[in-house]
Amino acid sequence: MDSRQQRIARNEALFREVNERIKEINADMTDAESEHSDFLCECGDDDCTKAVSMTVSEYEAVRENGKRFTIVPGHEIPDVERVVFRGDRYAVVEKQPPAAARIALETDPRS
């Protein structure tokens, strides 16, 4: 894996860690099934500050797989991930090259 792919993987892992804290705060204050919360886009762009609107339940479904990240639709990076879900509010990508997938799993705060 080249340094660009490593940077992307680490950036996504950082945003995922922030989203874990957002989820903890929102889990107690919102209806997990129906109320939307703003999570950070977990794309590999260092400058991205876009919000992804999801319910806590939707976020939890993505987090069941440590190689998956939630992004704003269109923020995918095809050489390091593939889109496994695309909706109106968010998309879900999964790390593909083995080295990128390994970093995603190693940095997963739930593992």
Side-chain angles (χ1 to χ4, degrees):
M1 176 184 330
D2 65 29
S3 62
R4 175 183 159 272
Q5 290 175 337
Q6 288 178 346
R7 179 192 54 77
I8 289 168
R10 286 192 172 83
N11 190 60
E12 291 169 337
L14 172 65
F15 286 131
R16 176 173 59 190
E17 182 68 34
V18 172
N19 281 341
E20 284 290 295
R21 300 299 144 256
I22 292 171
K23 195 263 329 179
E24 288 175 8
I25 292 166
N26 289 331
D28 293 332
M29 299 180 356
T30 63
D31 176 1
E33 296 294 325
S34 63
E35 291 184 49
H36 290 196
S37 298
D38 283 340
F39 292 88
L40 294 176
C41 177
E42 297 173 343
C43 75
D45 181 353
D46 291 338
D47 297 322
C48 181
T49 58
K50 300 221 179 223
V52 176
S53 179
M54 305 176 74
T55 65
V56 170
S57 294
E58 289 170 331
Y59 178 76
E60 283 297 314
V62 174
R63 295 294 298 119
E64 288 178 3
N65 182 327
K67 296 186 291 186
R68 292 187 176 180
F69 294 84
T70 304
I71 63 169
V72 170
H75 283 206
E76 60 271 0
I77 304 170
D79 63 320
V80 294
E81 59 204 12
R82 70 180 175 92
V83 176
V84 295
F85 171 81
R86 185 182 308 276
D88 294 337
R89 293 177 284 116
Y90 66 94
V92 178
V93 294
E94 183 172 304
K95 295 296 148 222
Q96 287 305 293
R102 181 182 44 77
I103 289 173
L105 292 171
E106 287 174 355
T107 59
D108 185 354
R110 295 187 182 191
S111 60

